[in-house]
Structures are given as C-alpha cells and as structure tokens.
Amino acid sequence: MKGIEIGTGKRLSQIVLDYIDPSNKVAVWLGPGHVQEYVNEIPNCMVIDSYDEEIKHRLVDIFSSDLIRFYYGNDIIGNEIGAAAKNVIGIAAGMLDGLGVSTLKGALMSRGTSEISRLIKAAGGNEVSAYGLCHLGDYEATVFSQHSHNRRFGECFVKGETYAELAEGYYTVRALMDLKEKYKVELPICTAIYNILYNQKTAKDELKKLFLRSLKQEFY
C-alpha cells in the first residue's frame, strides 16, 4: 500500500507502527505493475522495503518469481514518499493528455522526479530513491498506461467528464502540501495540481505557468 496521511504527513508504515504491537514486522511493497497485465503474464519489477532486514529478505525470497522480479529497498522513507507522490504526477500527466499537450510528459517526468527527490531528501530519505522503482520506475504505469486511474482522472477532470474510480493522487496532493510546509521544500508541480483540484484554478493557466517559470539551470 502507499499513501501519506492528510494533516500529519505520516507515511503508512508510521501509521501502522502507531497501532500494532512492536513485535510485529512492517514492510512496504511498491513499484510498477497493473493487475490487468499480471493476469496476462506480462512481467515487471517491484521493490520491498522495511526497517527490518530479515523480514525484507524473507519477503523478497518468498514472492520472487518469473512474473515479478523484486529488489531489496534500502530507504523506506524515500520509497514510501516516492510511491505516493507518483500518483500526483500521474494526475498531471492526464491533464496534459486532456489538454492535447502530451509531448510535455517528458518535461513533466524529468522535473517531477527532481522535485520529489528534494522532498525525500528534506524528509530524511535518500533523494536517489526518486529515480528508482518507487517513483520514476513507476512512471510508465502511471503517466502513460490506459490502466492508470490517476492519469485517467486527470484527463477526465480537465475535460469536465465524470470519473468514478479511486484516484489516490487527489488526496495525496493535500498531504504533500503539508510536507511542503513542514520541510520548506519547493514543489511547483504538486502545488499546481493542488490549486487546480482544490482552489478552482484552471488547468490550462496553472500548467502554463509551470513552463513559464523564471529561467534557471536545469541541474543545480
């Protein structure tokens, strides 16, 4: 599971540990893949992470197969934040599709990964995790796939169409605004999506502003 709690900014592993006996072990299973593809034997890669090395290795050994190749995670903070935040990028991708500017997805992926890496670092994780399976490695399944609920929601939203399925990024972006304030990190893409979804800003205007921001170095 993935997600960040609105109001507290807690990751799911933190929430679970607040309520269970500490003798229990907690792990997270993250990464790309849709059930529609797995049932058709289309393989993919995922990552399992935990504070407990023994349980992490045990789970990877148990679940590894020809269908899913698992990697051992080594940054539960970064993996959890990255996995939750990629759904917000998925909504942004759908909005680009709905506006007929899908060619901007390349820039979205590049800049989106960069801003989430800054958040991960500020929260005490390893910023490189944003470039792994939890986030960038999940973009194909989230930013492009016909099965992506978040992408489809973003597309329907800008077209004024009803979408009845769960789009986790709708709630995650509220929690990311909490983390933005807590860690004083600039999150321009996430902020734009928040303004569109919650502050009645128009998608065309907000996304246009993203690409008209002040000139600067690509990497710094």
Side-chain angles (χ1 to χ4, degrees), residues 133-146:
L133 289 168
C134 74
H135 192 78
L136 179 60
D138 206 346
Y139 272 6
E140 190 282 329
T142 304
V143 173
F144 293 99
S145 175
Q146 62 178 325

PDB file of all heavy atoms in Angstrom, residues 133-146:
ATOM      1  N   LEU A 133      12.418   2.393  -8.551  1.00  0.00           N
ATOM      2  CA  LEU A 133      11.148   1.778  -8.904  1.00  0.00           C
ATOM      3  C   LEU A 133       9.955   2.409  -8.190  1.00  0.00           C
ATOM      4  O   LEU A 133       8.830   2.348  -8.683  1.00  0.00           O
ATOM      5  CB  LEU A 133      11.194   0.281  -8.590  1.00  0.00           C
ATOM      6  CG  LEU A 133      12.090  -0.555  -9.506  1.00  0.00           C
ATOM      7  CD1 LEU A 133      12.289  -1.949  -8.927  1.00  0.00           C
ATOM      8  CD2 LEU A 133      11.505  -0.634 -10.906  1.00  0.00           C
ATOM      9  N   CYS A 134      10.165   3.015  -7.028  1.00  0.00           N
ATOM     10  CA  CYS A 134       9.050   3.591  -6.287  1.00  0.00           C
ATOM     11  C   CYS A 134       8.446   4.790  -6.999  1.00  0.00           C
ATOM     12  O   CYS A 134       7.252   5.088  -6.826  1.00  0.00           O
ATOM     13  CB  CYS A 134       9.483   3.984  -4.879  1.00  0.00           C
ATOM     14  SG  CYS A 134      10.508   5.484  -4.796  1.00  0.00           S
ATOM     15  N   HIS A 135       9.243   5.493  -7.811  1.00  0.00           N
ATOM     16  CA  HIS A 135       8.747   6.747  -8.399  1.00  0.00           C
ATOM     17  C   HIS A 135       8.980   6.787  -9.914  1.00  0.00           C
ATOM     18  O   HIS A 135       8.083   6.446 -10.685  1.00  0.00           O
ATOM     19  CB  HIS A 135       9.398   7.943  -7.709  1.00  0.00           C
ATOM     20  CG  HIS A 135       8.744   9.240  -8.054  1.00  0.00           C
ATOM     21  ND1 HIS A 135       7.551   9.643  -7.488  1.00  0.00           N
ATOM     22  CD2 HIS A 135       9.096  10.226  -8.915  1.00  0.00           C
ATOM     23  CE1 HIS A 135       7.201  10.814  -7.994  1.00  0.00           C
ATOM     24  NE2 HIS A 135       8.135  11.189  -8.863  1.00  0.00           N
ATOM     25  N   LEU A 136      10.183   7.149 -10.347  1.00  0.00           N
ATOM     26  CA  LEU A 136      10.445   7.243 -11.784  1.00  0.00           C
ATOM     27  C   LEU A 136      10.213   5.897 -12.476  1.00  0.00           C
ATOM     28  O   LEU A 136       9.668   5.845 -13.578  1.00  0.00           O
ATOM     29  CB  LEU A 136      11.879   7.720 -12.025  1.00  0.00           C
ATOM     30  CG  LEU A 136      12.318   7.846 -13.490  1.00  0.00           C
ATOM     31  CD1 LEU A 136      11.442   8.837 -14.241  1.00  0.00           C
ATOM     32  CD2 LEU A 136      13.785   8.261 -13.572  1.00  0.00           C
ATOM     33  N   GLY A 137      10.596   4.812 -11.823  1.00  0.00           N
ATOM     34  CA  GLY A 137      10.411   3.496 -12.409  1.00  0.00           C
ATOM     35  C   GLY A 137       8.955   3.095 -12.559  1.00  0.00           C
ATOM     36  O   GLY A 137       8.641   2.135 -13.269  1.00  0.00           O
ATOM     37  N   ASP A 138       8.066   3.835 -11.904  1.00  0.00           N
ATOM     38  CA  ASP A 138       6.629   3.554 -11.966  1.00  0.00           C
ATOM     39  C   ASP A 138       5.910   4.506 -12.920  1.00  0.00           C
ATOM     40  O   ASP A 138       4.686   4.443 -13.066  1.00  0.00           O
ATOM     41  CB  ASP A 138       6.026   3.684 -10.555  1.00  0.00           C
ATOM     42  CG  ASP A 138       4.772   2.839 -10.362  1.00  0.00           C
ATOM     43  OD1 ASP A 138       4.214   2.373 -11.367  1.00  0.00           O
ATOM     44  OD2 ASP A 138       4.354   2.660  -9.212  1.00  0.00           O
ATOM     45  N   TYR A 139       6.648   5.373 -13.575  1.00  0.00           N
ATOM     46  CA  TYR A 139       6.003   6.387 -14.414  1.00  0.00           C
ATOM     47  C   TYR A 139       5.291   5.790 -15.630  1.00  0.00           C
ATOM     48  O   TYR A 139       4.238   6.274 -16.035  1.00  0.00           O
ATOM     49  CB  TYR A 139       7.035   7.415 -14.884  1.00  0.00           C
ATOM     50  CG  TYR A 139       7.238   8.580 -13.940  1.00  0.00           C
ATOM     51  CD1 TYR A 139       6.624   8.626 -12.685  1.00  0.00           C
ATOM     52  CD2 TYR A 139       8.052   9.651 -14.292  1.00  0.00           C
ATOM     53  CE1 TYR A 139       6.822   9.691 -11.825  1.00  0.00           C
ATOM     54  CE2 TYR A 139       8.254  10.723 -13.441  1.00  0.00           C
ATOM     55  CZ  TYR A 139       7.638  10.744 -12.215  1.00  0.00           C
ATOM     56  OH  TYR A 139       7.829  11.811 -11.370  1.00  0.00           O
ATOM     57  N   GLU A 140       5.865   4.762 -16.240  1.00  0.00           N
ATOM     58  CA  GLU A 140       5.199   4.188 -17.419  1.00  0.00           C
ATOM     59  C   GLU A 140       3.802   3.713 -17.045  1.00  0.00           C
ATOM     60  O   GLU A 140       2.829   3.954 -17.768  1.00  0.00           O
ATOM     61  CB  GLU A 140       6.021   3.029 -17.988  1.00  0.00           C
ATOM     62  CG  GLU A 140       5.530   2.530 -19.353  1.00  0.00           C
ATOM     63  CD  GLU A 140       4.288   1.639 -19.267  1.00  0.00           C
ATOM     64  OE1 GLU A 140       4.124   0.927 -18.254  1.00  0.00           O
ATOM     65  OE2 GLU A 140       3.481   1.659 -20.215  1.00  0.00           O
ATOM     66  N   ALA A 141       3.699   3.037 -15.897  1.00  0.00           N
ATOM     67  CA  ALA A 141       2.417   2.504 -15.453  1.00  0.00           C
ATOM     68  C   ALA A 141       1.471   3.597 -14.969  1.00  0.00           C
ATOM     69  O   ALA A 141       0.254   3.397 -14.928  1.00  0.00           O
ATOM     70  CB  ALA A 141       2.639   1.482 -14.336  1.00  0.00           C
ATOM     71  N   THR A 142       1.988   4.748 -14.610  1.00  0.00           N
ATOM     72  CA  THR A 142       1.166   5.816 -14.032  1.00  0.00           C
ATOM     73  C   THR A 142       0.937   6.977 -14.990  1.00  0.00           C
ATOM     74  O   THR A 142      -0.146   7.560 -15.031  1.00  0.00           O
ATOM     75  CB  THR A 142       1.832   6.353 -12.744  1.00  0.00           C
ATOM     76  OG1 THR A 142       2.030   5.271 -11.840  1.00  0.00           O
ATOM     77  CG2 THR A 142       0.962   7.396 -12.070  1.00  0.00           C
ATOM     78  N   VAL A 143       1.949   7.317 -15.764  1.00  0.00           N
ATOM     79  CA  VAL A 143       1.895   8.507 -16.620  1.00  0.00           C
ATOM     80  C   VAL A 143       1.362   8.188 -18.018  1.00  0.00           C
ATOM     81  O   VAL A 143       0.767   9.039 -18.669  1.00  0.00           O
ATOM     82  CB  VAL A 143       3.301   9.148 -16.698  1.00  0.00           C
ATOM     83  CG1 VAL A 143       3.346  10.280 -17.704  1.00  0.00           C
ATOM     84  CG2 VAL A 143       3.719   9.646 -15.321  1.00  0.00           C
ATOM     85  N   PHE A 144       1.544   6.934 -18.464  1.00  0.00           N
ATOM     86  CA  PHE A 144       1.160   6.582 -19.829  1.00  0.00           C
ATOM     87  C   PHE A 144       0.073   5.514 -19.930  1.00  0.00           C
ATOM     88  O   PHE A 144      -0.693   5.502 -20.876  1.00  0.00           O
ATOM     89  CB  PHE A 144       2.389   6.076 -20.601  1.00  0.00           C
ATOM     90  CG  PHE A 144       3.429   7.125 -20.835  1.00  0.00           C
ATOM     91  CD1 PHE A 144       4.549   7.198 -20.017  1.00  0.00           C
ATOM     92  CD2 PHE A 144       3.306   8.042 -21.860  1.00  0.00           C
ATOM     93  CE1 PHE A 144       5.520   8.158 -20.218  1.00  0.00           C
ATOM     94  CE2 PHE A 144       4.274   9.016 -22.068  1.00  0.00           C
ATOM     95  CZ  PHE A 144       5.388   9.079 -21.249  1.00  0.00           C
ATOM     96  N   SER A 145       0.007   4.608 -18.997  1.00  0.00           N
ATOM     97  CA  SER A 145      -0.841   3.426 -19.143  1.00  0.00           C
ATOM     98  C   SER A 145      -2.329   3.740 -19.191  1.00  0.00           C
ATOM     99  O   SER A 145      -2.828   4.599 -18.461  1.00  0.00           O
ATOM    100  CB  SER A 145      -0.585   2.451 -17.990  1.00  0.00           C
ATOM    101  OG  SER A 145      -1.478   1.358 -18.051  1.00  0.00           O
ATOM    102  N   GLN A 146      -3.046   3.003 -20.032  1.00  0.00           N
ATOM    103  CA  GLN A 146      -4.505   3.123 -20.091  1.00  0.00           C
ATOM    104  C   GLN A 146      -5.158   2.627 -18.802  1.00  0.00           C
ATOM    105  O   GLN A 146      -6.312   2.936 -18.511  1.00  0.00           O
ATOM    106  CB  GLN A 146      -5.038   2.308 -21.272  1.00  0.00           C
ATOM    107  CG  GLN A 146      -4.741   0.813 -21.165  1.00  0.00           C
ATOM    108  CD  GLN A 146      -5.320   0.009 -22.303  1.00  0.00           C
ATOM    109  OE1 GLN A 146      -6.395   0.333 -22.803  1.00  0.00           O
ATOM    110  NE2 GLN A 146      -4.629  -1.040 -22.733  1.00  0.00           N
TER     111      GLN A 146
END
